[in-house]
Amino acid sequence: MKTKITSGFWRDRLEVNAQRAIFHQWEQLEASGCIENFHIAAGDVDGFREGWFFADSDAYKWLDAASRIYASFPNPQLDSVMDAFITLVARAQRPDGYIFTYNQIHFPTDRWKNLQIEHELYCHGHLIEAGVSHYEATARTDMLAIARRAADRIVEDFLGKGTDHTPGHEEIEIALLRLYKITDHQPYLEMARQFIEQRGRNPLFALSLIRQNSSVGQRRNFIKQKKQEYLSAHPEFKPFQLPPDNASKQPRYSRLRWQVNALSGKYFQQHAPIRKQTVPVGHSVRFAYLETAVAMLARENGDKTLIHALEQVWERMVTRRMYVTGGIGSVPGSEGFGNDYELDPEYAYAETCAALASLFWNWEMAQLTSEAKYSDLFEWQLYNAAAVGMGLDGTSYLYNNPLTCRGGVTRKPWYSVPCCPSNLSRTWADLGKYIYSANRDEIFIHQYISSEYDGELAKIEIRSELPWMGKVKITVDTSVPSEFTLNLRLPSWCETESTRVTCNGEFFPVTPAPQQSEITASGYDPREGRWLNLKRIWNSGDVVELNFDMPIQLRQAHPKVKGHRGKVAITRGPLVYCLESIDNPNVDIFSVAVVPKSLEAVFERTALGGITKIIGQAKTGQPLTFVPYHLWGNRGESTMTVWVNE
């Protein structure tokens, strides 16, 4: 199955990703000392290691992203940089497969220390994913061999060990499952299963965490002392100053809440065995990576006992703990979930990586269950909570994503924790794989993105005008007349009465959205997504046309969400809109009241690369301009709000 994104909204962004973003990220990794760390570990140079203990992961994610980009946009310059880095990683890796520059440089005799905090397994996970992606893109095995040596080291050191031997930041599980899928090497599957199954089974977790935290502090103090000694001996050495992260407004008792969350195990998803984890808690990136891995495991080994908890925790997240943008993580202190209906738009952390991790999870759930609601949430998060993370130039990013910003949050070229840029790039580069899926007698179209698909049942071409207009044309090409079902996702945002679907001019009735017993906290409900099943004998040249009317919708939060009475979030199609100060001079965007009947959509070709704006009037008569939320902050520092007074 091959998919190529051909034109339109996403093709433009993929080109920026391939031509600018990936090279900008490499420059930042070099400038910050991240790549130099590997040279020091390899013995190429004398120096002092810079950056966080998990800095290696950022370099591996870059290679992962570069590999996926190379598969669609082959580029000799990119190939050369990848080759040089792979050679460097091979030199830095120990003969037995271990590689973690933090320990190799500072603590050469230490391994697998403080697993809940220091991210050794997380870094190895991104190394393995890079190896898999490079192999899939190039069919070469040099990076894959490095990844397998690392995975074999982990299997040797961890398989069969107890509950203390689980990672604090989930990711290695996804990596091992991806590696198993291309190698069919059973120990990788078993290792991933063990990491997942042993979570939440350590009754002395709090004591173990306290001990590890003490060790982390001692090791940091040791490094500080070593750095002072190194600087004294090398006065010419100039340490790189990592840029700060974005400001985030902290609710009361934020630090105390984080401590309780951590000691209970919830921050790390270590509070209960996986089948009893039915409420989304803790660090939102960790959470969504774990749920992704559990869904992947259920698909691989057929363990249906895992599915019920996956469905329950997804339902709880969507109905009570998710923002209208699809962002997750409402407590900045823990970068994670708060309580039910705790969705203050100004406190919203909604980390870009959390949105990306949720995309991965929703894709796995869509494959596991064939339910449209997961693909619906994928689309919503893709256009809003995830797309907001990268600027139009490809060289500026957002780490945290509030829904109300009074200042202090801006797009930056890099961060002190630069996990999001390369994570965005690898996700965009692989976007084609999330559009279609197929089985023996069905093809599913999950996303309406202009693309070409070459599958066993048929070739499919999509020409889509989303997200600005609602017209989609699908052309089917079969070598011989073939009977199969083409499943078309009807988005939750499309209205039954005004949506038109035809096949070769013949109209098909549109399925109404399913009724829900519980309204969501945010006002957006992916459970209203559904499939339209077209079963027929298909011939080459058959054309399906969808015309989604895209009315402006005013969404209201659940009454239990504080501070939202009398406010609305304005959406159109799959896009959430916001008021940004740069478009609304002399307007207090935080107190202004919009007149709903005044709102209309207008396409403006010169604004922000060509967008559909929503214009309207305030109650006071002032003109208002709303822009897509994912584009805010592209024109310099500004203030912004999604929720406005009605």
Side-chain angles (χ1 to χ4, degrees):
M1 181 179 79
K2 294 181 180 179
T3 303
K4 178 183 178 182
I5 294 176
T6 53
S7 62
F9 180 91
W10 281 109
R11 178 69 185 191
D12 293 344
R13 277 148 186 79
L14 296 193
E15 289 179 353
V16 170
N17 192 38
Q19 295 165 8
R20 299 190 64 186
I22 197 68
F23 294 105
H24 167 81
Q25 291 162 18
W26 179 257
E27 291 167 2
Q28 294 294 317
L29 289 168
E30 286 196 307
S32 65
C34 181
I35 305 304
E36 185 77 355
N37 294 340
F38 290 91
H39 283 290
I40 298 169
D44 297 343
V45 296
D46 176 42
F48 196 87
R49 186 188 184 279
E50 295 276 44
W52 287 91
F53 41 72
F54 48 76
D56 295 1
S57 68
D58 299 315
Y60 301 144
K61 261 188 289 187
W62 179 88
L63 179 58
D64 189 350
S67 300
R68 300 185 198 200
I69 286 171
Y70 188 79
S72 300
F73 296 89
N75 180 320
Q77 182 186 356
L78 187 60
D79 190 32
S80 175
V81 178
M82 285 195 296
D83 279 355
F85 181 58
I86 291 169
T87 303
L88 173 58
V89 173
R91 292 202 309 275
Q93 187 178 37
R94 294 283 173 82
D96 66 356
Y98 182 82
I99 177 168
F100 186 58
T101 65
Y102 184 71
N103 277 347
Q104 287 172 255
I105 295 169
H106 295 312
F107 309 99
T109 60
D110 285 354
R111 287 189 182 185
W112 313 127
K113 297 281 289 187
N114 307 316
L115 290 175
Q116 297 308 305
I117 303 172
E118 289 189 354
H119 292 31
E120 267 173 287
L121 287 168
Y122 172 81
C123 287
H124 280 79
H126 278 301
L127 168 74
I128 293 166
E129 282 216 74
V132 173
S133 294
H134 188 263
Y135 169 73
E136 290 175 337
T138 66
R140 285 169 39 189
T141 59
D142 45 350
M143 186 61 204
L144 182 63
I146 294 171
R148 293 201 66 172
R149 284 197 294 272
D152 291 342
R153 179 75 271 142
I154 291 167
V155 169
E156 179 71 22
D157 291 349
F158 286 88
L159 195 59
K161 296 291 179 65
T163 56
D164 279 343
H165 294 74
T166 54
H169 197 313
E170 301 91 329
E171 209 287 331
I172 182 64
E173 303 88 344
I174 296 172
L176 288 168
L177 288 163
R178 285 190 67 198
L179 187 59
Y180 166 72
K181 202 158 188 175
I182 65 167
T183 63
D184 203 30
H185 187 54
Q186 198 70 24
Y188 301 152
L189 175 63
E190 179 56 26
M191 189 73 260
R193 190 197 67 80
Q194 178 184 302
F195 281 143
I196 289 168
E197 292 284 6
Q198 287 192 342
R199 302 196 78 79
R201 297 181 185 274
N202 182 359
L204 301 176
F205 179 81
L207 292 175
S208 174
L209 185 63
I210 291 170
R211 186 173 62 249
Q212 290 187 38
N213 194 54
S214 175
S215 172
V216 169
Q218 291 170 9
R219 282 154 64 89
R220 281 178 177 163
N221 289 335
F222 174 76
I223 292 169
K224 284 182 182 178
Q225 183 180 341
K226 279 184 66 177
K227 188 166 189 175
Q228 289 304 316
E229 294 171 357
Y230 186 86
L231 292 174
S232 296
H234 300 81
E236 76 286 354
F237 180 76
K238 294 183 179 179
F240 180 81
Q241 295 297 316
L242 283 167
D245 289 326
N246 268 328
S248 58
K249 187 177 178 182
Q250 302 285 333
R252 292 180 68 188
Y253 309 118
S254 185
R255 180 68 181 173
L256 178 61
R257 289 181 68 178
W258 177 84
Q259 290 171 337
V260 171
N261 207 255
L263 289 170
S264 69
K266 290 182 178 180
Y267 177 80
F268 308 93
Q269 294 77 46
Q270 292 277 25
H271 59 294
I274 191 63
R275 289 169 188 78
K276 294 184 178 180
Q277 293 194 29
T278 58
V279 177
V281 296
H283 190 272
S284 52
V285 181
R286 287 170 163 89
F287 162 81
Y289 278 162
L290 174 61
E291 300 303 322
T292 301
V294 174
M296 291 173 71
L297 180 64
R299 287 182 64 197
E300 288 300 333
N301 69 3
D303 187 350
K304 294 182 179 180
T305 67
L306 295 167
I307 299 175
H308 184 59
L310 285 165
E311 292 175 330
Q312 282 187 296
V313 79
W314 186 90
E315 189 90 4
R316 185 68 166 264
M317 181 185 79
V318 164
T319 55
R320 303 185 189 184
R321 299 192 175 189
M322 188 179 78
Y323 288 98
V324 71
T325 57
I328 54 175
S330 59
V331 182
S334 61
E335 299 184 322
F337 293 97
N339 300 316
D340 286 350
Y341 305 108
E342 185 181 1
L343 294 169
D344 187 296
E346 197 166 359
Y347 290 147
Y349 202 73
E351 184 182 336
T352 300
C353 279
L356 299 174
S358 190
L359 295 184
F360 308 152
W361 177 27
N362 277 289
W363 173 250
E364 293 299 328
M365 292 300 291
Q367 303 312 296
L368 189 61
T369 68
S370 295
E371 292 192 41
K373 61 186 179 182
Y374 301 113
S375 300
D376 200 278
L377 180 53
F378 184 104
E379 176 187 58
W380 197 263
Q381 291 179 320
L382 176 68
Y383 280 106
N384 299 295
V388 69
M390 185 185 291
L392 286 172
D393 57 7
T395 62
S396 57
Y397 305 90
L398 287 172
Y399 185 99
N400 54 311
N401 296 288
L403 279 70
T404 292
C405 174
R406 298 178 189 270
V409 177
T410 58
R411 295 186 182 276
K412 296 177 182 175
W414 211 240
Y415 291 94
S416 85
V417 180
C419 54
C420 300
S422 297
N423 211 4
L424 278 160
S425 283
R426 70 180 187 142
T427 305
W428 289 176
D430 231 11
L431 192 57
K433 87 171 192 181
Y434 300 112
I435 301 174
Y436 308 88
S437 66
N439 56 37
R440 186 171 53 85
D441 55 4
E442 292 180 292
I443 296 175
F444 293 83
I445 296 182
H446 299 269
Q447 307 301 331
Y448 296 110
I449 295 173
S450 293
S451 56
E452 294 172 353
Y453 161 86
D454 188 354
E456 292 184 8
L457 290 173
K459 294 180 179 179
I460 305 285
E461 180 185 49
I462 295 178
R463 290 291 176 265
S464 170
E465 295 183 19
L466 287 175
W468 311 124
M469 302 294 288
K471 292 183 179 180
V472 179
K473 181 179 179 181
I474 301 168
T475 305
V476 178
D477 180 12
T478 60
S479 55
V480 294
S482 304
E483 184 177 28
F484 60 87
T485 301
L486 186 63
N487 297 301
L488 307 174
R489 182 177 59 84
L490 299 177
S492 62
W493 49 262
C494 80
E495 296 180 346
T496 304
E497 305 78 23
S498 56
T499 298
R500 295 163 59 87
V501 180
T502 63
C503 180
N504 299 335
E506 177 188 352
F507 283 94
F508 282 82
V510 174
T511 313
Q515 295 296 308
Q516 305 301 327
S517 58
E518 179 182 5
I519 63 172
T520 65
S522 68
Y524 157 68
D525 196 341
R527 298 171 301 173
E528 294 177 0
R530 62 275 194 206
W531 293 112
L532 178 61
N533 314 113
L534 302 185
K535 183 177 181 179
R536 65 194 301 275
I537 296 173
W538 296 89
N539 296 281
S540 286
D542 284 347
V543 174
V544 176
E545 293 184 280
L546 302 97
N547 197 335
F548 300 116
D549 192 18
M550 298 175 74
I552 296 167
Q553 297 176 317
L554 275 60
R555 299 182 185 268
Q556 295 178 321
H558 193 287
K560 291 184 179 180
V561 180
K562 293 180 180 178
H564 284 61
R565 181 171 295 178
K567 293 181 180 290
V568 292
I570 294 171
T571 67
R572 180 178 179 270
L575 298 180
V576 175
Y577 279 73
C578 68
L579 283 176
E580 193 174 2
S581 57
I582 195 168
D583 298 305
N584 299 279
N586 305 316
V587 174
D588 182 353
I589 62 173
F590 304 109
S591 64
V592 72
V594 65
V595 178
K597 290 184 179 180
S598 71
L599 297 173
E600 62 175 312
V602 177
F603 186 78
E604 190 171 323
R605 194 170 300 278
T606 58
L608 292 164
I611 64 168
T612 296
K613 291 182 174 181
I614 294 176
I615 59 174
Q617 260 192 343
K619 191 176 178 181
T620 56
Q622 295 165 296
L624 298 176
T625 299
F626 296 80
V627 297
Y629 169 77
H630 77 265
L631 290 172
W632 90 274
N634 270 285
R635 296 165 290 178
E637 188 167 358
S638 62
T639 59
M640 174 276 302
T641 186
V642 167
W643 292 95
V644 295
N645 294 307
E646 183 180 4

